[in-house]
């Protein structure tokens, strides 16, 4: 038995209409008489009911396929956004932010790290190998 109750319902096959079974067992000459005995209206209602069952079953199958597709997409997103990927992404965002904080030309004085602790944190997150804005300008022939 599958884990998904919707999948179990999809295996449902509606029974053959009673009239279809009865008609298959009759000789051709007997069909009209049996149809009169059973009643055309009852036969038509039975056929309508089977048509509706098949329509609902089709809707159920489409819905199940859509749910399965969404579930697979969610599982894929969860796999691609594993803890390592999220951690690397977060570290990258932090480095970008800290880099902007280090750049004295683009960071307001109130946001610049002033305490020794803040400077140590920034030095830990963003090693000195990356030049600040003044070093970049001086290496390109600009600056003061």
């Amino acid at each position: 038995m599958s884990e998904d109750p919707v999948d179990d319902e999809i295996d449902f096959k509606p029974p053959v209409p009673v009239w279809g079974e009865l008609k298959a067992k009759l000789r051709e000459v007997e069909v009209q008489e049996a149809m009169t005995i059973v009643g055309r209206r009852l036969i038509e209602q039975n056929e309508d009911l089977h048509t509706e069952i098949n329509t609902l079953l089709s809707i159920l199958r489409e819905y199940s396929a859509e749910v399965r597709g969404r579930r697979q997409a969610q599982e894929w997103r969860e796999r691609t956004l594993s803890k390592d990927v999220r951690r690397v992404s977060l570290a990258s965002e932090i480095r970008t932010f800290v880099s902007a904080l280090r750049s004295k030309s683009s960071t307001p004085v109130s946001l610049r790290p002033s305490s020794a602790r803040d400077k140590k944190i920034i030095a830990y997150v963003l090693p000195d190998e990356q030049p600040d804005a003044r070093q970049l300008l001086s290496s390109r022939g600009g600056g003061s």
Side-chain angles (χ1 to χ4, degrees):
M1 193 166 211
S2 81
E3 298 172 13
D4 191 353
V6 175
D7 288 340
D8 291 337
E9 293 175 33
I10 290 177
D11 291 338
F12 173 76
K13 301 222 182 329
V16 178
V18 175
W19 174 248
E21 285 185 32
L22 183 61
K23 185 177 174 183
K25 294 180 182 185
L26 295 173
R27 292 182 297 205
E28 200 164 316
V29 239
E30 299 171 324
V31 172
Q32 286 300 323
E33 187 177 342
M35 190 180 286
T36 305
I37 294 170
V38 173
R40 290 183 191 272
R41 182 178 162 110
L42 186 60
I43 293 170
E44 288 172 2
Q45 287 175 341
N46 186 272
E47 288 173 351
D48 290 345
L49 180 63
H50 277 274
T51 301
E52 190 160 340
I53 289 171
N54 287 325
T55 301
L56 290 172
L57 192 55
S58 174
I59 291 170
L60 177 63
R61 286 184 177 124
E62 288 174 18
Y63 175 75
S64 178
E66 183 179 329
V67 167
R68 226 181 348 267
R70 286 182 183 177
R71 188 177 301 141
Q72 288 171 345
Q74 178 66 27
E75 289 170 0
W76 182 84
R77 278 192 298 275
E78 288 172 1
R79 279 190 303 243
T80 58
L81 294 177
S82 66
K83 291 178 183 176
D84 292 336
V85 172
R86 283 185 244 147
R87 185 184 63 205
V88 169
S89 175
L90 180 59
S92 174
E93 288 179 34
I94 290 171
R95 283 190 187 92
T96 303
F97 178 69
V98 170
S99 178
L101 284 177
R102 280 186 132 180
S103 173
K104 293 181 173 121
S105 61
S106 66
T107 305
V109 175
S110 62
L111 292 178
R112 292 184 193 156
S114 55
S115 70
R117 180 178 178 269
D118 290 345
K119 289 178 182 178
K120 283 181 183 177
I121 291 172
I122 290 176
Y124 176 77
V125 173
L126 190 67
D128 281 331
E129 296 121 22
Q130 297 182 355
D132 65 7
R134 277 187 279 166
Q135 289 172 335
L136 286 174
L137 286 175
S138 64
S139 68
R140 294 185 180 156
S144 45

